[in-house]
Amino acid sequence: MAYTAKVTDILTTDFAEVELIDEGSEYEPRYVAEFKEKEMKIKIGDIVQMEKADNRIMNESRIAYIAPPIFAVIAFLVTRDLGTGERILSAALTFLMAFIIAWIMNRRSRMLKYRAFRITKLLKKGPNHFLDN
């Protein structure tokens, strides 16, 4: 079944927040929708046609969160010439940096978890397309 919606925000590459404009829809008004950025130049204010998509959790993406503790142990072992406090601080900072990198790299996985629709067609361009050729 096709749904009509208005794009309210571009969240990240290939993901947008959409607001359903179908009357009598059994769904909530706002959702995350996926689109192919290279094929469709979706911008805020566009009217799009979409279809329901299954949310999916990529279990393999959780592997990235194994890296921070491993890096913290390595940092603790490599700094054996320093004092205990400095070794713990080094391990903690390395853990924090590795966790932030893992979290940033898993952005697409988090978006796929919340995706409810897939945009299939651009029906009407919004006012933000004035610079397009």
Side-chain angles (χ1 to χ4, degrees), residues 6-10 12-16 18 33-49 119-133:
K6 181 177 182 178
V7 177
T8 57
D9 194 13
I10 303 297
T12 185
T13 305
D14 293 344
F15 292 96
V18 295
E34 181 182 19
F35 64 96
K36 299 292 183 202
E37 185 176 29
K38 293 179 179 162
E39 297 172 9
M40 291 183 253
K41 300 294 184 194
I42 302 292
K43 295 192 177 180
I44 296 173
D46 291 349
I47 305 297
V48 296
Q49 180 180 355
I119 297 174
T120 56
K121 186 195 255 184
L122 176 62
L123 297 176
K124 181 181 173 190
K125 290 184 177 184
N128 294 321
H129 283 276
F130 63 90
L131 295 176
D132 293 346
N133 292 335

Side-chain angles (χ1 to χ4, degrees), residues 68-98:
I70 292 172
F71 288 163
V73 170
I74 291 171
F76 186 79
L77 296 175
V78 168
T79 57
R80 65 177 175 258
D81 295 338
L82 301 176
T84 304
E86 291 172 331
R87 292 176 75 186
I88 293 171
L89 180 63
S90 173
L93 290 175
T94 304
F95 177 88
L96 180 64
M97 288 187 303

